[in-house]
Amino acid sequence: MSIAFIDLQAQRLRLNGRIEAAVQEAVVGGAWVMGPQVRQFEADLAAFGKAKHALGCANGTDALILPLIAWGIRTGDAVFCPSFTFTATAEVVPWLGATPVFVDVDPRTFNMDPVQLEAAIEATLKEGRLKPRVVIAVDLFGQPADYPAIKAICDRYGLKLIADSAQGFGCTLNGHHPIKWADITTTSFFPAKPLGCYGDGGAVLTDDDDLAQEMDSLRVHGKVVAKDMKPGETFAHDPKYLAMRIGMNSRLDTIQAAVLIEKLKVFAQEIEWRNRAADRYAAGLAPHVASVPAVIEGGVSIWAQYTIEHENRDGLAAHLKDQGVPTAVYYPVPMHLQPAYARFSKGPGSLPVTERLMQRVISLPMHSDLDEATQDRIIAAVASFR
């Protein structure tokens, strides 16, 4: 039997028609854009993520740019982000004319290194060309970044903090979601994410009432919102017909919200299953690889990926393919070495930990329905590589 890298069909079958029924209800309801399911899901998501506000949007990339637009990020501003991440984290920054400044990562957790972050901020200030404005910390592979340390740095320098939880929504640190420290948490509902829909989708979460209204306006063409009105003033028409700011079109589809409502109901249980699988992987693989994943003290990962290090990563990948075990490499070319970002980079050698990891990491099958027999096959296949 073939092994799935991420088995979404197993989850769909386990939910026993609930998703199909929810989709059908949304279709019959006919409110296919910003329908009632969107509002329900936003309320459910905010409650799960312990945030005052959650707003759905079209995808995880839009989720990142919405707060940057709201904060007026522009040419001459510096936005600090890890290089060891997917393109989306950094690509939104040049859209606004701002400059991404790439930061090295912790060699154990693969998340942004607070020491390197502060060094990058100090170097930027010393150079004097850019104004530090925002830090985007990524919850890579499902585990939280070191938010207490990163938040302290942001407060010291007067910077905004985004928790990019595209891979990590649901992770916690010392019992708290990233929103405890971040000005905003963003996430993606791309199907392969632990909380994924059946298409594209994303969301922003915040405790800031004003920021929530601003992003609500921006996601619907800059529509008028309550904070734009004077006391007693009203607009008797659809708010989207009065544009108060230059916005965009980034709405979560009703059908996707219907899917996510059902998946969120079982998400907490699935996080427990993922952690059980991660523990079994660690016990079985530790003697056979350079390192198994290390989670920050006090952290709970949602294990979007299970990523190990190996001295002969490419050889192991070929061996596992022969054994019928799929793998993936995140990320073979980090951001600061990508051609599109060359003008923002200090080039090879500038981020040594990231450049070491790019040659050693490999991810194994991981999903909430990974059964023990399949996992034992994977562990045995890794152990048999010489």
Side-chain angles (χ1 to χ4, degrees), residues 319-337:
H319 171 76
L320 292 178
K321 183 178 180 181
D322 289 341
Q323 299 290 312
V325 177
T327 60
V329 174
Y330 308 93
Y331 296 91
V333 184
M335 296 303 304
H336 75 291
L337 300 181

Side-chain angles (χ1 to χ4, degrees), residues 60-382:
T61 310
D62 284 0
L64 287 165
I65 199 167
L66 282 167
L68 297 182
I69 297 173
W71 291 328
I73 301 304
R74 57 179 60 87
T75 301
D77 292 338
V79 177
F80 300 86
C81 60
S83 175
F84 198 54
T85 183
F86 184 60
T87 308
T89 302
E91 75 179 341
V92 296
V93 179
W95 289 359
L96 301 176
T99 299
V101 177
F102 296 113
V103 178
D104 215 345
V105 295
D106 182 282
R108 297 183 68 252
T109 66
F110 307 162
N111 277 329
M112 179 182 281
D113 185 335
V115 173
Q116 297 302 318
L117 169 63
E118 186 153 25
I121 295 170
E122 284 289 346
T124 300
L125 288 170
K126 184 177 181 180
E127 183 183 28
R129 184 174 56 89
L130 301 171
K131 180 181 180 181
R133 291 288 308 277
V134 180
V135 172
I136 304 178
V138 176
D139 298 327
L140 196 72
F141 301 150
Q143 75 155 304
D146 188 351
Y147 284 108
I150 293 172
K151 172 63 171 173
I153 293 168
C154 289
D155 288 347
R156 196 149 55 240
Y157 292 93
L159 309 183
K160 296 291 190 181
L161 175 58
I162 295 175
D164 179 353
S165 277
Q167 295 180 357
F169 182 76
C171 70
T172 57
L173 181 58
N174 299 323
H176 299 288
H177 291 263
I179 197 64
K180 174 179 172 62
W181 299 276
D183 295 282
I184 188 163
T185 294
T186 69
T187 193
S188 166
F189 303 126
F190 183 76
K193 306 299 184 188
L195 182 62
C197 58
Y198 286 177
D200 256 327
V204 291
L205 294 89
T206 185
D207 289 333
D208 186 324
D209 297 339
D210 188 76
L211 179 60
Q213 286 197 51
E214 188 89 7
M215 293 187 296
D216 182 32
S217 171
L218 289 168
R219 68 173 173 166
V220 186
H221 304 286
K223 69 177 183 178
V224 64
V225 291
K227 77 187 195 80
D228 298 319
M229 310 299 286
K230 298 175 183 177
E233 186 179 12
T234 61
F235 182 67
H237 310 282
D238 190 321
K240 70 183 179 184
Y241 294 125
L242 180 58
M244 303 300 292
R245 50 193 59 81
I246 304 299
M248 58 197 290
N249 180 17
S250 186
R251 299 169 294 195
L252 180 66
D253 290 338
T254 304
I255 289 173
Q256 302 302 343
V259 171
L260 288 163
I261 287 169
E262 298 304 318
K263 296 182 85 170
L264 186 59
K265 291 175 182 177
V266 298
F267 190 42
Q269 178 68 70
E270 291 183 348
I271 293 174
E272 292 183 14
W273 293 345
R274 285 172 175 270
N275 274 275
R276 184 173 63 196
D279 290 343
R280 292 192 80 253
Y281 262 147
L285 291 172
H288 308 292
V289 301
S291 73
V292 294
V295 177
I296 187 172
E297 184 177 356
V300 175
S301 176
I302 64 165
W303 300 104
Q305 284 85 30
Y306 191 86
T307 303
I308 60 174
E309 286 187 70
H310 200 282
E311 293 89 345
N312 185 5
R313 186 266 310 284
D314 295 339
L316 176 62
H319 171 76
L320 292 178
K321 183 178 180 181
D322 289 341
Q323 299 290 312
V325 177
T327 60
V329 174
Y330 308 93
Y331 296 91
V333 184
M335 296 303 304
H336 75 291
L337 300 181
Q338 296 272 0
Y341 295 86
R343 68 189 186 276
F344 307 118
S345 170
K346 295 180 180 178
S350 59
L351 301 177
V353 176
T354 294
E355 292 171 39
R356 178 175 176 270
L357 292 175
M358 66 182 267
Q359 302 179 50
R360 293 168 58 89
V361 294
I362 183 170
S363 297
L364 302 176
M366 171 57 87
H367 52 88
S368 55
D369 290 274
L370 182 62
D371 62 83
E372 293 187 0
T374 301
Q375 198 172 16
D376 288 342
R377 283 180 58 195
I378 297 166
I379 293 170
V382 173

Side-chain angles (χ1 to χ4, degrees), residues 10-59:
Q11 181 199 51
R12 182 182 65 82
L13 294 171
R14 170 167 46 83
L15 293 177
N16 194 28
R18 285 163 48 183
I19 289 179
E20 289 85 346
V23 169
Q24 180 66 14
E25 182 179 349
V27 171
V28 171
W32 301 323
V33 177
M34 299 295 280
Q37 288 88 343
V38 174
R39 299 303 181 197
Q40 179 185 335
F41 175 65
E42 290 175 338
D44 294 348
L45 189 70
F48 185 94
K50 301 296 188 291
K52 287 180 66 177
H53 307 280
L55 302 171
C57 58
N59 51 68

